[in-house]
Amino acid sequence: MGTYAISGSASGMGAATRQRLEAAGHRVVGIDLRDAEVIADLGTAEGRAGAVAAVIDAAGGVLDGAVSAAGLGPPVAGDLIARVNFFGSRALLEGLRPALAASGAAQAVQFGSNSSTTTPNLPDDLIAAYLEGREEDAVAIIGSAEPVFAPAIAYGGSKLAITRWCRRAAVTEPWVGEGIRLNVIAPGPVDTPLLRAGQVHEVYGPLMEAFPVPVTETPGADTLAAWVEFLLSPAARFACGSVIYVDGGTDALMRSDDWPRTFTM
Ligand code: NAI
């Protein structure tokens, strides 16, 4: 049985993934603001460093897998979204990488979102600031956006950037070369406290209601946890840098011809 780190383990899809792994006999080291083995704020540099050190200590330096699920969404303020969703996720994955490498055959899953490809008008300079690790620049760009849209831009941008960062990292020597498979799950609306906080908001509620989702039934957290459990399983070892959309069809509806595309060399 393995040892797995899960951020965001106290709620929603992180908690549901925890339940599945524990039911299968694995050990989970949870990271969250509350109700976890490792209490840490992934929105700060100190919190990220403390989380990495505490997880590696608790796991004895070896992890069979990691799930980066901690996240915030609109209507939470855009700067917090940026700090947790991109910079916290990246620091956690990078910090845990040596412990994942130590297992020789680890698997890691980052929570992206279909917001990365279905949020219009994401600023390219924000994506660049995320990917270049310029945290305060990213926060400043979000701060200069129209206030009502700032959380949505921070969110979609954070998910696009962390997805791209994972795809770039997954195929490099320190990741695939060390036996680690890093993949991204990109859900659409899933019934969790994060989604519900948006649904009851006076601005975001109606926007979310208008969001086109061809499959009309909204899944619960365990539906997505089943996909994550599969991505952590031996059967998923050929997946590397993959982005798995489980979003009821919104990405296919809005971006049907954008991928796959032809290219020239
Ligand atoms: P949730 O709100 O149920 O759980 C998120 C967890 O992250 C909470 O336990 C929270 O305490 C933790 N967290 C937040 N800020 C933190 C911080 N600074 N440090 C440490 N932990 C922190 O949310 P849900 O829906 O389960 O989200 C999981 C992931 O899935 C997130 O990354 C979210 O962006 C993503 N996602 C969610 C969708 C949805 O519709 N629910 C859709 C697409 C992606």
Side-chain angles (χ1 to χ4, degrees):
M1 289 298 119
T3 301
Y4 292 83
I6 303 181
S7 74
S9 60
S11 177
M13 292 183 272
T17 304
R18 166 177 210 134
Q19 271 182 12
R20 278 186 169 262
L21 292 182
E22 287 183 338
H26 299 296
R27 178 175 169 231
V28 171
V29 181
I31 308 143
D32 210 306
L33 296 168
R34 60 182 169 83
D35 301 331
E37 285 74 13
V38 174
I39 304 294
D41 181 356
L42 295 172
T44 69
E46 311 77 61
R48 295 164 198 154
V52 166
V55 170
I56 290 178
D57 186 45
V62 185
L63 281 170
D64 298 285
V67 178
S68 172
L72 297 169
V76 172
D79 58 335
L80 287 180
I81 291 174
R83 292 190 197 281
V84 175
N85 291 15
F86 181 82
F87 296 99
S89 297
R90 175 178 172 172
L92 187 71
L93 289 172
E94 283 184 323
L96 298 182
R97 194 202 59 78
L100 293 164
S103 94
Q107 278 153 253
V109 179
Q110 170 65 44
F111 270 85
S113 169
N114 74 347
S115 304
S116 59
T117 47
T118 62
T119 306
N121 309 321
L122 294 176
D124 286 320
D125 59 346
L126 173 61
I127 306 304
Y130 276 130
L131 285 168
E132 291 162 15
R134 293 185 280 110
E135 185 163 353
E136 299 314 316
D137 286 351
V139 166
I141 293 164
I142 291 162
S144 69
E146 191 74 44
V148 70
F149 294 125
I153 285 170
Y155 188 79
S158 73
K159 294 301 187 180
L160 190 158
I162 199 66
T163 299
R164 193 177 290 171
W165 183 86
C166 286
R167 281 172 60 77
R168 288 177 179 176
V171 294
T172 62
E173 191 56 29
W175 290 86
V176 70
E178 297 279 352
I180 309 166
R181 303 291 183 267
L182 173 59
N183 294 293
V184 177
I185 183 108
V190 178
D191 186 23
T192 69
L194 182 150
L195 183 77
R196 279 175 237 140
Q199 285 172 328
V200 299
H201 188 260
E202 56 180 353
V203 174
Y204 285 103
L207 289 174
M208 288 163 71
E209 185 66 31
F211 200 59
V213 189
V215 177
T216 52
E217 302 87 21
T218 303
D222 185 61
T223 299
L224 273 291
W227 286 81
V228 175
E229 186 180 26
F230 176 73
L231 286 170
L232 296 172
S233 75
R237 281 201 61 79
F238 199 47
C240 175
S242 295
V243 183
I244 314 294
Y245 274 80
V246 184
D247 76 334
T250 303
D251 179 72
L253 179 71
M254 292 177 66
R255 304 295 298 272
S256 44
D257 295 346
D258 289 329
W259 184 92
R261 303 193 81 145
T262 57
F263 74 113
T264 47
M265 286 182 79

